[in-house]
């Protein structure tokens, strides 16, 4: 199933196996980003965090410090597209 992505703010998309490899817990991520249940979603091998209403620079650095590699393991969808466009994320074949 594809997960809708909000246009209002950035969203982080992480490969689930890479996320689990880091040892990060959902509680740690929720506390760091102030996420609700609707803002931490998992579908297949994809973890979707957001929308995130804070500067993602430090968050990206923290993810890299725990071993995630930008673009290989996770990336940011910046948001800001018009409301008449719907963006969906779904696990790929790779």
């Amino acid at each position: 199933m594809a997960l809708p992505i909000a246009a209002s703010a950035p969203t982080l998309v992480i490969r689930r196996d890479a996320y689990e490899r880091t040892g990060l817990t959902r509680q740690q991520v929720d506390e760091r980003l102030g996420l609700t249940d609707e803002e931490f979603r998992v579908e297949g091998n994809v973890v979707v965090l957001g929308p995130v209403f804070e500067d993602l620079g430090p968050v990206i650095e923290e993810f890299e410090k725990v071993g995630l590699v930008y673009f290989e393991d996770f990336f940011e969808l910046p948001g800001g597209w018009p409301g008449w466009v719907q963006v969906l994320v779904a696990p790929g074949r790779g």
Side-chain angles (χ1 to χ4, degrees):
M1 181 171 134
L3 300 172
I5 304 299
S8 58
T11 298
L12 291 168
V13 181
I14 310 169
R15 285 183 28 238
R16 182 178 181 177
D17 55 342
Y19 170 81
E20 290 174 348
R21 180 184 73 233
T22 68
L24 285 172
T25 66
R26 173 158 182 191
Q27 181 178 355
Q28 289 171 311
V29 173
D30 284 349
E31 288 175 1
R32 172 62 177 90
L33 298 175
L35 301 177
T36 67
D37 287 343
E38 295 81 28
E39 295 167 342
F40 188 113
R41 298 170 292 158
V42 178
E43 179 64 38
N45 194 36
V46 177
V47 178
V48 177
L49 308 176
V52 178
F53 296 95
E54 69 173 81
D55 179 15
L56 285 182
V59 176
I60 289 170
E61 288 177 12
E62 291 169 25
F63 279 3
E64 290 176 331
K65 283 181 183 175
V66 297
L68 293 174
V69 177
Y70 192 82
F71 204 73
E72 178 66 29
D73 296 325
F74 75 104
F75 67 96
E76 169 194 356
L77 282 170
W81 50 84
W84 50 266
V85 172
Q86 182 177 20
V87 175
L88 305 171
V89 170
R93 293 179 226 143

